Amino acid sequence: MTSPRIVGVGMTDFGVHERPLVELFADAAFAAFDDAGVEGGEIDAFYLGNAMGGQTERDTHLAPTLASHVGLAGIPCQRYEDACATSSNAFKHAVRAVESGRHDVVLVGGVERCTPATGLGTPEMTAVFASAAHRQYEQPTGLSFPGVFGLLTTRHMHEHGTTEEDLAAVAVKNHRHGTLNSRAQFGKETTVEEVLDSPLVASPFHLMDCCPFSDGAAAAIVASEEAAASLSGDPVGVAGVGHATDVVPLADKADLTATRSAREAAAQAYEEADIAPDHVDVAEVHDCFTGAEVLAIEALGFVEDGAGGPAAAAGTTALGGEIPVNPSGGLKAKGHPIGATGVAQLVELTEQLRGEAGDRQVADAEYALAHNLGGDAATTVVSVLEVVA
């Protein structure tokens, strides 16, 4: 089996975009082509992440449509949908296809529009997001994802003493990081007081505890070690990928604060990469809500269970801290266009391992980890990237 490499990356700004999906994705894909030094004729397959185009855009069969737009008609194309873990799942399949020798060079990416530019307002888009909840047991009750993660986080607060100030510190950290990222939707700092003074959305989350609706696209070129050697892109190694699921609906989970799928996916990725959590130098985790970052850093083994709450306020997860988490600004500040989020994490980490992250660069980073969850954390994909000689 060959060792997969990420040889090129590209992404758009995240925010509000009026342009259609095909144009958004093309911007990210062509940037990845240029970064890798690859021509369209050298790409063997295309794996796309798009979660909601059928509902928000009335646009399905997207993979061949986007492939045609970027000059890749005729190659195998596949669209993946796995809620917010959509493009990470596409990435996993691209990696496995390259490892097996089925393909040598694969374009993988994601695109989504979730803002009012789609013509849908916040209530309608919230309902679209909620379609990832259980159809019989959760959707009819009106449970939306701020409520889902509010329940998970409230239980963590009960068990471990996590406070609303701890949660607000996560938002403050990630907004500070976002000021260093020109592609972030929110490039403005905030304070704990401002977070706590923002409107209550779903206890314990205030508005500033929640990630925004976003539009955007991200793309990466995955190649075999042999193919990478013939390209001009600066390669980053894919050391391990783990993918696990948990019980749906929420009420049937054995432990609400464990986010079991993240622990199992991380264990798989660590084993495949032959590393432990303390080898990771920088991470991008799925902070759709501030409480989600707290749960994630515990599940990934960066801190002990129960210690995730005060980590941001203590500086543990800030740039310059013990384990910098979400130097991009995370979903909270960078933005969250569902289908693009997983690959966008990989774009950030590729740039970190190349030493190209500018003011948010983590010094001497050798291992980087991406944690991308879907639904009520019932799906998690964890990817470990590494510097290669």
Side-chain angles (χ1 to χ4, degrees):
M1 295 176 71
T2 186
S3 297
R5 304 282 191 259
I6 295 177
V7 293
V9 293
M11 64 181 286
T12 66
D13 294 346
F14 283 4
V16 179
H17 290 279
E18 298 287 346
R19 293 179 300 141
L21 292 178
V22 289
E23 294 183 11
L24 268 182
F25 184 74
D27 283 353
F30 289 141
F33 291 178
D34 291 344
D35 188 39
V38 68
E39 301 287 339
E42 298 173 275
I43 294 174
D44 301 322
F46 169 39
Y47 295 162
L48 169 69
N50 177 266
M52 305 187 308
Q55 297 181 74
T56 60
E57 312 272 348
R58 299 295 189 268
D59 202 354
T60 59
H61 206 206
L62 275 169
T65 301
L66 299 188
S68 299
H69 193 73
V70 298
L72 299 180
I75 65 172
C77 302
Q78 178 66 55
R79 169 184 170 264
Y80 291 83
E81 184 280 312
D82 214 357
C84 299
T86 287
S87 60
S88 285
N89 201 352
F91 175 72
K92 181 199 77 171
H93 282 82
V95 167
R96 299 305 183 217
V98 168
E99 280 179 333
S100 70
R102 174 67 63 182
H103 300 305
D104 290 322
V105 182
V106 177
L107 170 64
V108 59
V111 62
E112 206 86 62
R113 293 200 311 158
C114 304
T115 72
T118 62
L120 299 181
T122 297
E124 294 85 2
M125 191 59 68
T126 299
V128 171
F129 274 59
S131 67
H134 196 283
R135 181 68 187 91
Q136 282 73 41
Y137 299 140
E138 293 175 339
Q139 291 183 43
T141 71
L143 183 64
S144 63
F145 276 95
V148 167
F149 281 88
L151 290 169
L152 298 175
T153 303
T154 298
R155 187 65 195 180
H156 194 277
M157 298 169 84
H158 172 74
E159 292 183 6
H160 302 294
T162 304
T163 67
E164 289 190 16
E165 288 78 10
D166 290 335
L167 302 177
V170 175
V172 170
K173 169 184 70 74
N174 290 346
H175 273 265
R176 184 185 311 120
H177 291 173
T179 67
L180 306 175
N181 185 356
S182 62
R183 296 175 298 213
Q185 186 165 351
F186 296 129
K188 180 182 178 181
E189 292 202 40
T190 189
T191 66
V192 168
E193 293 72 24
E194 287 174 336
V195 175
L196 296 179
D197 285 344
S198 63
L200 192 67
V201 173
S203 181
F205 297 139
H206 297 262
L207 180 63
M208 293 291 290
D209 286 298
C210 308
C211 73
F213 294 149
S214 311
D215 306 331
I221 307 294
V222 180
S224 65
E225 186 175 2
E226 297 76 17
S230 68
L231 300 172
S232 61
D234 184 7
V236 165
V238 182
V241 180
H243 179 193
T245 61
D246 196 0
V247 177
V248 178
L250 188 69
D252 287 346
K253 294 186 190 299
D255 186 340
L256 288 180
T257 66
T259 50
R260 181 57 54 193
S261 67
R263 292 169 192 255
E264 294 179 1
Q268 296 169 21
Y270 289 142
E271 181 178 8
E272 191 171 303
D274 195 24
I275 65 168
D278 60 5
H279 289 98
V280 176
D281 299 301
V282 57
E284 287 284 310
V285 310
H286 196 97
D287 61 323
C288 47
F289 305 94
T290 52
E293 179 171 312
V294 170
L295 298 174
I297 62 175
E298 293 181 5
L300 296 168
F302 296 155
V303 298
E304 296 293 327
D305 285 356
T316 304
T317 52
L319 283 166
E322 182 179 337
I323 172 63
V325 171
N326 289 327
S328 70
L331 284 62
K332 179 65 197 75
K334 180 181 84 252
H336 184 30
I338 308 302
T341 287
V343 171
Q345 292 178 326
L346 300 169
V347 172
E348 172 70 22
L349 296 179
T350 296
E351 292 175 348
Q352 287 283 348
L353 294 180
R354 288 173 169 179
E356 298 174 351
D359 291 339
R360 63 185 188 279
Q361 180 66 50
V362 175
D364 303 318
E366 295 186 1
Y367 287 100
L369 180 146
H371 157 279
N372 187 204
L373 64 80
D376 63 353
T379 292
T380 308
V381 179
V382 173
S383 303
V384 175
L385 307 185
E386 65 179 346
V387 171
V388 293

